[in-house]
């Protein structure tokens, strides 16, 4: 499933909404999650999962091909933990 | 760094502000988006949201684990796990402020 397919399904279920409104609704949801993470906040969606940001300190890495040392800058990486309900649904036979 | 946590309520509030539907309908739509994504994943589909990221279901085969308390060996059943890979756009945005 890609974003446009998700928008299509929601639009079909809500014939009273314009397609462009549905696009904004779906876009707003993902934008809101991303901007919370950019602010360093967590997003917890019970039953689905939680998004958070982890910090990675600067370190000296190595180019595995040449063995050369390279400085890797400090960075922030997004992290997702699957919610309990979804984890269970994935494993229900 | 703030320790604030956003929930469904914040997402529906954003939809309410941006699109101008009622608060109740905004909440129903947020739920519906999460529901359809979950359903697709449960069916084993990959869910790809451009400029956000990709959710993939991976099958893990059975392996032996150990009860850390008793040291006893127990089989860990084969299971399916969900993996989220953030898009480059999201990763770049997270690191712009550094």
């Amino acid at each position: 499933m890609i974003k446009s397919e998700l928008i299509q399904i929601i639009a079909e279920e809500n014939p009273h909404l314009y397609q462009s409104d549905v696009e904004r609704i779906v876009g707003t949801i993902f934008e809101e999650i991303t901007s919370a993470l950019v602010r360093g906040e967590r997003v917890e969606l019970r039953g689905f999962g939680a998004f958070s940001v982890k910090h990675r300190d600067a370190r000296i890495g190595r180019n595995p091909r040449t063995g050369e040392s390279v400085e890797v800058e400090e960075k922030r990486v997004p992290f997702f933990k699957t919610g309990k309900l979804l984890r269970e649904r994935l494993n229900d036979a | 760094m703030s320790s604030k946590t956003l929930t469904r309520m914040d997402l529906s509030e954003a939809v309410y502000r941006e699109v101008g539907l009622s608060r109740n309908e905004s909440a129903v739509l947020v739920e519906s988006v999460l529901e359809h994504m979950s359903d697709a994943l449960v069916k084993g589909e990959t869910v790809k949201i451009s400029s956000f990221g990709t959710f993939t279901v991976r099958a893990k085969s059975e392996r032996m684990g150990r009860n850390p308390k008793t040291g006893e060996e127990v089989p860990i059943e084969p299971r399916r796990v969900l993996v989220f890979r953030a898009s480059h756009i999201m990763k770049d945005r997270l690191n712009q402020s550094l």
Side-chain angles (χ1 to χ4, degrees):
Chain A
M1 173 190 273
I2 60 173
K3 187 158 72 177
S4 57
E5 291 166 340
L6 179 60
I7 290 167
Q8 199 53 46
I9 297 170
I10 308 278
E12 279 163 18
E13 282 180 354
N14 297 274
H16 62 294
L17 296 177
Y18 289 114
Q19 168 100 7
S20 60
D21 284 338
V22 179
E23 283 167 14
R24 279 182 68 193
I25 291 160
V26 173
T28 298
I29 292 171
F30 293 111
E31 175 52 36
E32 201 62 18
I33 297 172
T34 306
S35 44
L37 295 174
V38 170
R39 293 193 300 269
E41 297 170 1
R42 256 172 70 83
V43 180
E44 193 176 308
L45 305 168
R46 284 282 161 89
F48 183 78
F51 297 90
S52 59
V53 179
K54 295 197 168 179
H55 289 255
R56 300 271 181 266
D57 285 336
R59 61 186 171 87
I60 304 294
R62 224 169 255 285
N63 179 328
R65 204 200 288 262
T66 63
E68 193 186 355
S69 288
V70 279
E71 275 181 43
V72 180
E73 285 185 11
E74 164 196 10
K75 65 181 168 191
R76 305 202 296 173
V77 293
F79 180 76
F80 176 77
K81 185 171 188 282
T82 312
K84 190 164 176 265
L85 185 71
L86 183 51
R87 208 185 322 130
E88 286 169 356
R89 280 189 66 197
L90 284 170
N91 290 291
D92 265 358
Chain B
M1 179 175 142
S2 148
S3 59
K4 192 173 181 283
T5 299
L6 267 74
T7 63
R8 279 176 170 73
M9 234 219 286
D10 300 282
L11 298 186
S12 42
E13 191 63 26
V15 169
Y16 166 75
R17 266 195 331 259
E18 282 290 319
V19 192
L21 305 170
S22 73
R23 281 204 162 81
N24 183 53
E25 192 173 13
S26 303
V28 169
L29 283 158
V30 167
E31 201 52 50
S32 172
V33 165
L34 296 176
E35 203 59 51
H36 284 299
M37 290 173 70
S38 303
D39 290 349
L41 292 165
V42 169
K43 280 189 273 177
E45 282 181 44
T46 289
V47 175
K48 200 178 221 162
I49 307 295
S50 62
S51 80
F52 185 78
T54 306
F55 297 87
T56 323
V57 179
R58 279 176 53 181
K60 297 266 202 173
S61 44
E62 185 187 83
R63 62 185 170 91
M64 286 311 274
R66 209 178 271 278
N67 179 332
K69 205 174 250 175
T70 62
E72 190 188 357
E73 280 212 334
V74 278
I76 296 176
E77 298 289 310
R79 66 209 158 98
R80 296 200 300 169
V81 296
L82 182 53
V83 184
F84 172 68
R85 234 187 122 228
S87 73
H88 274 285
I89 295 174
M90 185 199 275
K91 287 187 193 163
D92 289 347
R93 281 184 63 188
L94 281 180
N95 289 291
Q96 258 164 22
S97 49
L98 272 183

